[in-house]
Amino acid sequence: MGLLSYLKGQSRSYSKLLIVTTLSGGGLVAYSDKPQKTKKKVLVLGSGWAGTSFLKDLDISSYDVQLVSPRNYFAFTPLLPSVTCGSVEARSIVEPVRNILHKTNGQIQFWEAECLKIDAPNRKVFCHSNIQQLAGSNHFSLDYDFLVIAVGSQVNTFDTPGVLEHCHFLKEVEDAQRIRRTVIDCFEKAVLPDLTEEERRINLHFVIVGGGPTGIEFAAELHDFVHEDLVKIYPSVKDLVKISVIQSGDHILNTFDERISSFAEQKFQRDGIEVLTGQRVISISEKFISMKAKSTGNEVSIPHGMVVWSTGVGTRPVIKDFMEQIGQGDRRALATDEWLRVKGGDGVYALGDCSTVDQRKVMEDISSIFEAADADNSGTLTIKEFEAVVGDIITRYPQVELYLKSMHLADVMDLLKDSEGNGKDEVNIEGFKRALSHVDSQLKSLPATAQVAAQQGAYLSRCFNRMDLSKEHPEGPRRFRTGGRHEFLPFRYRHLGSFAPLGGEQAAAELPGDWVSMGHSTQWLWYSVYASKQVSWRTRLLVVGDWSRRFIFGRDSSRI
Amino acid sequence: MGLLSYLKGQSRSYSKLLIVTTLSGGGLVAYSDKPQKTKKKVLVLGSGWAGTSFLKDLDISSYDVQLVSPRNYFAFTPLLPSVTCGSVEARSIVEPVRNILHKTNGQIQFWEAECLKIDAPNRKVFCHSNIQQLAGSNHFSLDYDFLVIAVGSQVNTFDTPGVLEHCHFLKEVEDAQRIRRTVIDCFEKAVLPDLTEEERRINLHFVIVGGGPTGIEFAAELHDFVHEDLVKIYPSVKDLVKISVIQSGDHILNTFDERISSFAEQKFQRDGIEVLTGQRVISISEKFISMKAKSTGNEVSIPHGMVVWSTGVGTRPVIKDFMEQIGQGDRRALATDEWLRVKGGDGVYALGDCSTVDQRKVMEDISSIFEAADADNSGTLTIKEFEAVVGDIITRYPQVELYLKSMHLADVMDLLKDSEGNGKDEVNIEGFKRALSHVDSQLKSLPATAQVAAQQGAYLSRCFNRMDLSKEHPEGPRRFRTGGRHEFLPFRYRHLGSFAPLGGEQAAAELPGDWVSMGHSTQWLWYSVYASKQVSWRTRLLVVGDWSRRFIFGRDSSRI
């Protein structure tokens, strides 16, 4: 229900955008009848999935928009593992932000710089350009009325010694390019004269820490690269290559359905990729990686040629500092409410990996809900009274719907039935509390994925585009505690499915509605979804071109 | 004449190669009737034009071949200026040497390392791998029977202070990639807030030192990149961009025909590219470039955003060291004879930019020539006697032919005519010396181009392939001093023409036979020649794909 009205709202805002675009394209908006009012300043930090998705749909006729990011491009990060081995070129997955944000009805100003500090009380941010050796200051500050933080995350080392010094990561395009060069280095070094076979073996031992989708996809890509391309040109060392995945949990891909998890493990076993589960990495040096078995406590140290660290997300320093300013110092990520407004930050929004939506619990508001629903103040809720608020409850507390699904209940009314399945006519506050007592167990934080970030960006741009409208005609659910309605519908994540490419032209996918799909056909699904999701026709052509080139000629092993 | 037999010889060796390939493809060479003899070790240094061209055609059934190069790929260097601005991607112009050298009848061993020292007396080279942080030693040595030095050149700073620290170069693929990033940096910095207009102007002042083909092509590429692509996405600074070319000579492209030179100067003037001629750069700092007018001696210092140094070639340290060992310490480049054998280095050959062919002068041998030609020892040469040696003279001393051409003489016999144009029947030694006295003025060192290097590589591989044959049947010209014949024809450079792309889809070309062509059609000729010259079908497709992409979508300005 909430979903339906959300979609309706979306299509409405699209058509509005269309009209604006058409008009301005015809040059008809130069003289507007509306009185000129000062545009509010919207400042966006970050040009990743969240930031660009927010800006793409934002109606900039009502805002003065600035974007600050240390990268002047948007990167299609789900293809980063493909870049590490040259299945796709780095250039094919990037698009200059200025091209993406090219608007017909005005300008979004972009500064290539890093935000070093947010000064929330004065509504100011301090930025720094990383370009040295050119004329002019590298520091500047910007004012804002609304701040949208979408700076993403940084790598999380879990304070493991040696990770920052000796590991590769897979967060940025440069990381992927560096991995590609290092893989070739390992092979070139391994074939040099005067090395012992043991030394060659060590140089060709590739270790991946983290059995999540990124680590697994990289392991699979590397395996394909080695066995489809590199063994042909480095035949003397082809039997010395080893790929190991170290995972702290009991299974790899443990956020996926367990059918996918075991399919991946079996495939890796057939491919000769070693999977070490239940192991925690305790330190990494230039030549060795040390780990501890969680079950036995046994420690072991193995030599490596290269380690890729792909586990967890960490908070950037600028966000940590900001969290301390606004009293979130004890949290692990920037908390927002369901409207993506940063808690304790006036006019500040946060999207994507740097933030987490702090979903309100039903039980925190249970008394208010009961009182608000009890229209006749009788102290009991009738079925009719409950029915009148059920829509608002489900919109405001999405965990209710998840709970119904998990309990295989068709209707919210079933919650009020007793253990024998008999419905009641009325329920008092205690009964109401009892009925909803387990609902909050379904609260889950959203994954740190491109999909969540992009949906949050699109959601927030819609809110910004109808800010004036929603003041007059609030569209959100009832405010149970204070009365009235929320201006906007809260953010609701729609999971569209997730992929795990496993190499050898096979992939696994978890699709909406608990569908699971695995094998070669899923890889083709992956190709078509990723081609269609490209941000521009240019990158789409390039990516498809890269895939074709790889099919015909293999991957390039030049060390550049 | 010499050329014809050279070409005949080439086609013969090709067909031989074809037979070998066909046979070994059929697996028929496993049992050979020939007695097994130890293969001679050929060691090649360098994977550029000269080295790969030598190895491509080398018949490795007779040699044990090793290649050492710090780069595991061959780069199509004439397209480097296109890489600087993204008209062509770096990946599209490189091909792994292992792919190029893949032979059906054996293996060429390749080591990714740099040769640090040549020990000629012991026929050994010492190499060093640049790959740190992996297991095993980085140093190794290799023995050889024949050494082929093709390490190319390094940049020549002419000891100008600040060049190494503050300039970009255009020798390697990495140089071109770095230039591309820096151009974008200059624009990103120039549009930041809080800069004065003067600071923006400085950051967008691009200086090219050197008016040769590389520098001019880069200037033209940069101009196109700025005006076709960057002004659209950095509109606020489009009028602040300035490109300057500093040339010490009086004209740019002064190795080309003067029609091309003035066409280029006029085009640059129309395009607003500043050309400063007759200026010698005396120092470069982070922010300024200082130069001195050759005519007036006036010094001037101008601020810059970026300097690209593209002038002259210098000698690599390993070559300098080797030259001192073999008594060439006072020379500027490694001297070889006309058979590409290093003078004073036994079993050592040198090709490409690192070497120079020391063409023997006619006048050094004039008495021996006269004696050898004077078959009847009469003390005079008859026309008949002269005619008998003319072919050998022209083959051995190619300057004779150049001289005839420069004097518009149709026949060598015309040399013997007196100033009134009357032929003589006989000539004595004094008359013979007088007749040939100006011939050596036509001696010119070969340009440091890909074309020369590739032809030298092909020439030398042919010599290696027919080494046994030529011992029995020498094909070279007569040895005037010692009698007998040279085993091989000397190397003869055939100029196939050279291009100078000038931007805006226009190019200039100097073609064989003093043909000059300029304009849009020449650019299309350039496209087709460069596409056809690609080293593999993969790179050919990629380069043509890049050109098409650029036509449709423009150049990418993402800073990666």
Side-chain angles (χ1 to χ4, degrees):
Chain A
M1 200 175 84
L3 187 66
L4 200 70
S5 67
Y6 170 79
L7 282 176
K8 267 190 204 152
Q10 277 225 321
S11 70
R12 221 179 306 142
S13 86
Y14 280 141
S15 55
K16 203 178 72 178
L17 251 178
L18 199 68
I19 294 165
V20 170
T21 316
T22 318
L23 281 175
S24 70
L28 290 172
V29 289
Y31 300 95
S32 165
D33 291 332
K34 284 184 194 162
Q36 205 71 25
K37 70 173 184 179
T38 335
K39 287 181 180 182
K40 294 264 193 192
K41 285 183 187 164
V42 176
L43 176 59
V44 182
L45 306 179
S47 61
W49 283 96
T52 48
S53 152
F54 169 71
L55 288 171
K56 244 185 343 193
D57 294 338
L58 186 67
D59 176 8
I60 61 165
S61 60
S62 350
Y63 300 102
D64 184 4
V65 187
Q66 299 187 315
L67 168 62
V68 174
S69 169
R71 272 169 296 284
N72 79 353
Y73 54 85
F74 164 81
F76 192 87
T77 46
L79 282 176
L80 273 187
S82 301
V83 172
T84 57
C85 297
S87 300
V88 163
E89 291 300 329
R91 284 272 165 203
S92 309
I93 66 164
V94 298
E95 181 74 29
V97 281
R98 288 190 177 80
N99 287 353
I100 301 177
L101 306 180
H102 194 78
K103 304 263 181 176
T104 41
N105 56 343
Q107 276 282 319
I108 290 177
Q109 280 198 290
F110 171 74
W111 322 115
E112 192 195 83
E114 202 174 334
C115 172
L116 294 186
K117 189 168 176 66
I118 299 165
D119 176 2
N122 296 308
R123 299 194 171 230
K124 235 182 180 32
V125 301
F126 295 92
C127 305
H128 170 80
S129 156
N130 289 319
I131 306 167
Q132 306 299 329
Q133 300 183 326
L134 284 171
S137 162
N138 279 327
H139 290 272
F140 60 94
S141 66
L142 300 169
D143 300 322
Y144 65 81
D145 295 308
F146 299 113
L147 178 67
V148 178
I149 305 176
V151 296
S153 60
Q154 66 182 27
V155 76
N156 193 345
T157 66
F158 301 102
D159 293 325
T160 314
V163 172
L164 285 180
E165 298 86 345
H166 305 295
C167 287
H168 287 266
F169 306 107
L170 250 173
K171 301 236 21 125
E172 311 287 348
V173 176
E174 283 88 351
D175 295 337
Q177 291 176 304
R178 214 173 293 126
I179 288 176
R180 186 170 180 183
R181 282 194 294 268
T182 309
V183 170
I184 298 298
D185 278 349
C186 291
F187 274 86
E188 288 295 353
K189 184 72 187 271
V191 297
L192 283 188
D194 300 353
L195 264 71
T196 65
E197 193 181 298
E198 184 53 26
E199 284 167 339
R200 296 184 206 278
R201 236 179 242 286
I202 291 172
N203 292 337
L204 294 174
H205 185 205
F206 301 95
V207 180
I208 294 109
V209 183
T214 309
I216 292 304
E217 187 177 347
F218 170 64
E221 274 282 344
L222 183 61
H223 176 267
D224 285 358
F225 187 25
V226 169
H227 291 272
E228 291 171 12
D229 301 292
L230 295 180
V231 295
K232 285 184 209 154
I233 53 173
Y234 303 92
S236 61
V237 293
K238 69 177 174 191
D239 298 324
L240 308 180
V241 184
K242 187 172 162 192
I243 301 172
S244 303
V245 177
I246 302 177
Q247 161 74 329
S248 58
D250 291 334
H251 292 283
I252 56 173
L253 294 178
N254 56 14
T255 55
F256 280 74
D257 187 285
E258 63 185 25
R259 283 168 290 177
I260 289 180
S261 189
S262 66
F263 178 79
E265 281 168 4
Q266 283 163 21
K267 178 162 191 320
F268 274 23
Q269 200 173 12
R270 282 197 305 278
D271 289 345
I273 300 174
E274 183 182 54
V275 176
L276 300 162
T277 53
Q279 297 280 351
R280 209 169 59 81
V281 173
I282 49 178
S283 75
I284 295 178
S285 70
E286 196 178 290
K287 300 254 159 72
F288 287 93
I289 177 163
S290 304
M291 55 193 140
K292 196 177 190 168
K294 280 174 145 184
S295 52
T296 61
N298 279 349
E299 285 184 21
V300 62
S301 212
I302 46 174
H304 65 81
M306 175 182 173
V307 180
V308 174
W309 184 269
S310 159
T311 165
V313 291
T315 316
R316 291 190 186 273
V318 61
I319 299 299
K320 267 189 201 143
D321 172 86
F322 178 59
M323 284 164 71
E324 264 157 39
Q325 279 182 52
I326 57 170
Q328 292 196 13
D330 52 345
R331 286 182 158 272
R332 279 173 48 195
L334 195 52
T336 70
D337 63 17
E338 299 86 336
W339 292 268
L340 308 185
R341 296 175 297 203
V342 171
K343 292 189 164 177
D346 188 26
V348 184
Y349 299 79
L351 317 171
D353 289 6
C354 69
S355 68
T356 181
V357 177
D358 211 2
Q359 175 62 50
R360 191 155 180 98
K361 296 194 175 114
V362 173
M363 292 315 280
E364 286 179 79
D365 296 336
I366 194 81
S367 310
S368 309
I369 299 171
F370 188 86
E371 272 172 43
D374 184 15
D376 58 0
N377 282 316
S378 64
T380 55
L381 282 194
T382 62
I383 299 267
K384 218 169 195 160
E385 281 173 332
F386 189 46
E387 270 176 344
V389 294
V390 135
D392 287 320
I393 291 176
I394 287 179
T395 308
R396 181 70 183 88
Y397 310 96
Q399 62 264 46
V400 174
E401 211 165 339
L402 292 174
Y403 180 75
L404 293 177
K405 214 187 246 174
S406 76
M407 301 300 287
H408 304 290
L409 297 176
D411 190 350
V412 197
M413 291 305 153
D414 294 342
L415 281 177
L416 300 185
K417 284 181 184 160
D418 62 18
S419 50
E420 278 91 47
N422 301 318
K424 295 175 189 161
D425 286 342
E426 287 187 302
V427 66
N428 63 7
I429 178 76
E430 293 310 317
F432 190 61
K433 274 187 188 171
R434 214 178 307 122
L436 293 168
S437 59
H438 297 295
V439 163
D440 290 329
S441 65
Q442 289 299 317
L443 280 178
K444 260 187 264 179
S445 55
L446 297 174
T449 61
Q451 211 175 126
V452 170
Q455 288 185 24
Q456 290 184 333
Y459 164 81
L460 194 63
S461 69
R462 187 183 162 273
C463 294
F464 270 71
N465 289 345
R466 47 180 293 142
M467 211 171 269
D468 289 339
L469 185 68
S470 288
K471 278 215 174 68
E472 287 166 39
H473 307 287
E475 57 169 13
R478 193 161 158 175
R479 291 174 183 272
F480 290 111
R481 277 169 302 163
T482 56
R485 302 197 80 82
H486 289 279
E487 284 174 29
F488 301 101
L489 291 168
F491 172 69
R492 192 67 151 301
Y493 173 57
R494 269 204 313 152
H495 184 64
L496 301 173
S498 43
F499 282 101
L502 298 171
E505 296 302 313
Q506 296 198 49
E510 206 171 60
L511 303 169
D514 285 331
W515 274 72
V516 163
S517 149
M518 285 168 290
H520 294 282
S521 56
T522 312
Q523 179 72 27
W524 284 100
L525 185 63
W526 182 87
Y527 281 126
S528 51
V529 169
Y530 276 38
S532 73
K533 290 280 178 197
Q534 290 302 313
V535 77
S536 74
W537 273 102
R538 193 184 65 88
T539 58
R540 187 168 299 130
L541 270 175
L542 288 177
V543 164
V544 174
D546 286 347
W547 287 332
S548 322
R549 171 187 48 68
R550 206 262 293 163
F551 273 110
I552 305 169
F553 300 106
R555 301 166 185 86
D556 181 34
S557 60
S558 305
R559 195 219 176 266
I560 60 167
Chain B
M1 201 175 81
L3 187 68
L4 200 70
S5 67
Y6 170 81
L7 281 177
K8 265 190 205 152
Q10 277 227 324
S11 69
R12 222 180 304 143
S13 85
Y14 279 142
S15 54
K16 205 179 72 179
L17 250 178
L18 196 72
I19 294 166
V20 171
T21 317
T22 317
L23 281 174
S24 71
L28 290 174
V29 287
Y31 298 95
S32 166
D33 292 330
K34 282 186 196 160
Q36 205 71 26
K37 68 173 188 180
T38 332
K39 288 183 180 179
K40 295 266 192 190
K41 285 183 187 164
V42 177
L43 177 59
V44 182
L45 306 179
S47 60
W49 282 95
T52 47
S53 152
F54 170 70
L55 289 170
K56 242 187 339 194
D57 294 339
L58 187 67
D59 175 8
I60 61 166
S61 60
S62 352
Y63 299 101
D64 185 5
V65 187
Q66 300 188 314
L67 169 62
V68 175
S69 168
R71 274 169 295 285
N72 78 354
Y73 55 85
F74 163 82
F76 192 88
T77 46
L79 283 176
L80 274 186
S82 301
V83 172
T84 57
C85 297
S87 300
V88 164
E89 290 300 328
R91 284 272 164 205
S92 309
I93 66 163
V94 299
E95 181 73 30
V97 281
R98 288 189 176 80
N99 287 354
I100 300 177
L101 307 180
H102 193 76
K103 303 263 179 175
T104 42
N105 56 344
Q107 273 282 319
I108 291 177
Q109 282 198 289
F110 171 73
W111 322 117
E112 192 195 83
E114 203 174 334
C115 172
L116 293 186
K117 189 169 176 64
I118 298 167
D119 178 2
N122 297 308
R123 295 191 175 235
K124 237 183 178 33
V125 301
F126 295 92
C127 305
H128 169 80
S129 155
N130 288 320
I131 307 167
Q132 308 298 331
Q133 299 183 327
L134 284 171
S137 160
N138 279 327
H139 290 273
F140 60 94
S141 67
L142 299 169
D143 300 322
Y144 66 82
D145 296 307
F146 299 112
L147 178 66
V148 178
I149 305 176
V151 296
S153 60
Q154 66 181 25
V155 77
N156 192 346
T157 67
F158 301 101
D159 293 326
T160 314
V163 173
L164 285 180
E165 299 84 345
H166 305 296
C167 286
H168 287 266
F169 307 107
L170 248 174
K171 302 237 21 125
E172 312 287 348
V173 176
E174 284 88 350
D175 294 338
Q177 291 177 305
R178 211 171 296 126
I179 288 176
R180 185 170 181 182
R181 284 194 292 270
T182 308
V183 169
I184 300 298
D185 278 350
C186 291
F187 274 87
E188 288 296 353
K189 183 74 188 269
V191 297
L192 284 188
D194 299 352
L195 264 70
T196 64
E197 193 181 298
E198 185 52 27
E199 284 167 338
R200 297 184 205 277
R201 235 178 243 285
I202 292 172
N203 292 335
L204 294 173
H205 185 206
F206 300 94
V207 180
I208 294 110
V209 182
T214 311
I216 292 305
E217 187 176 347
F218 169 64
E221 274 282 344
L222 182 61
H223 176 267
D224 284 358
F225 187 25
V226 169
H227 291 272
E228 290 171 10
D229 301 292
L230 296 181
V231 294
K232 286 184 208 154
I233 54 175
Y234 302 92
S236 61
V237 292
K238 69 177 173 190
D239 297 325
L240 308 180
V241 184
K242 185 173 163 191
I243 301 172
S244 304
V245 177
I246 302 176
Q247 161 73 329
S248 58
D250 290 334
H251 293 283
I252 56 173
L253 294 178
N254 55 15
T255 57
F256 281 73
D257 188 283
E258 62 185 25
R259 282 167 290 176
I260 290 181
S261 190
S262 68
F263 179 80
E265 281 169 2
Q266 283 163 20
K267 178 163 191 318
F268 274 24
Q269 199 173 14
R270 282 197 305 275
D271 288 345
I273 301 174
E274 183 183 53
V275 176
L276 301 161
T277 52
Q279 297 279 351
R280 208 170 60 80
V281 173
I282 47 178
S283 76
I284 296 176
S285 70
E286 197 178 290
K287 300 252 159 76
F288 286 93
I289 178 164
S290 305
M291 57 192 137
K292 195 177 189 168
K294 279 173 143 188
S295 51
T296 61
N298 280 349
E299 286 184 21
V300 62
S301 212
I302 47 175
H304 65 81
M306 174 183 174
V307 180
V308 175
W309 185 269
S310 160
T311 165
V313 291
T315 316
R316 290 189 187 274
V318 61
I319 299 299
K320 266 189 202 143
D321 173 84
F322 178 59
M323 285 165 71
E324 266 158 35
Q325 279 182 54
I326 57 169
Q328 292 197 12
D330 52 346
R331 286 183 157 271
R332 278 171 52 193
L334 195 52
T336 71
D337 63 18
E338 298 86 336
W339 291 267
L340 308 184
R341 297 176 299 206
V342 170
K343 291 189 165 179
D346 189 25
V348 184
Y349 299 78
L351 316 171
D353 288 7
C354 68
S355 69
T356 180
V357 178
D358 210 1
Q359 175 63 48
R360 191 152 180 96
K361 295 191 176 119
V362 173
M363 292 316 280
E364 286 179 77
D365 296 338
I366 192 82
S367 309
S368 311
I369 299 171
F370 187 85
E371 273 169 45
D374 186 13
D376 58 2
N377 281 317
S378 63
T380 54
L381 281 193
T382 62
I383 298 269
K384 218 168 195 165
E385 281 172 332
F386 189 48
E387 269 176 347
V389 294
V390 137
D392 288 319
I393 291 176
I394 287 178
T395 310
R396 180 73 184 83
Y397 310 96
Q399 61 265 43
V400 174
E401 212 167 336
L402 293 174
Y403 180 73
L404 292 177
K405 214 186 244 172
S406 76
M407 302 298 287
H408 304 290
L409 298 176
D411 190 350
V412 196
M413 290 307 151
D414 293 342
L415 281 177
L416 300 185
K417 284 181 184 161
D418 62 19
S419 49
E420 279 91 47
N422 303 316
K424 294 174 192 164
D425 287 343
E426 288 186 299
V427 67
N428 63 8
I429 176 78
E430 293 310 315
F432 190 60
K433 275 187 188 169
R434 214 177 306 122
L436 293 166
S437 59
H438 297 296
V439 164
D440 290 329
S441 65
Q442 289 300 318
L443 281 176
K444 258 187 263 175
S445 54
L446 298 173
T449 61
Q451 211 175 125
V452 171
Q455 288 186 23
Q456 291 185 333
Y459 164 81
L460 194 65
S461 70
R462 186 182 163 273
C463 294
F464 270 71
N465 289 346
R466 48 180 293 142
M467 210 172 272
D468 289 338
L469 185 70
S470 288
K471 276 213 177 68
E472 290 166 38
H473 307 287
E475 58 167 11
R478 193 161 159 178
R479 289 175 185 273
F480 290 109
R481 277 169 305 164
T482 56
R485 301 197 80 84
H486 290 279
E487 284 175 28
F488 301 101
L489 290 168
F491 170 70
R492 193 66 151 302
Y493 171 58
R494 269 205 313 152
H495 184 64
L496 302 172
S498 45
F499 282 101
L502 298 171
E505 296 302 312
Q506 296 199 51
E510 205 170 60
L511 303 168
D514 286 333
W515 273 73
V516 162
S517 146
M518 286 169 288
H520 294 281
S521 56
T522 311
Q523 179 72 27
W524 284 100
L525 184 64
W526 182 89
Y527 281 126
S528 51
V529 169
Y530 276 37
S532 73
K533 290 280 177 196
Q534 290 301 315
V535 78
S536 73
W537 272 103
R538 193 185 65 88
T539 57
R540 188 167 298 129
L541 270 174
L542 289 178
V543 164
V544 174
D546 285 349
W547 287 333
S548 321
R549 171 188 48 67
R550 205 262 294 165
F551 273 110
I552 306 168
F553 301 107
R555 303 166 185 87
D556 181 33
S557 61
S558 306
R559 197 224 175 264
I560 59 165

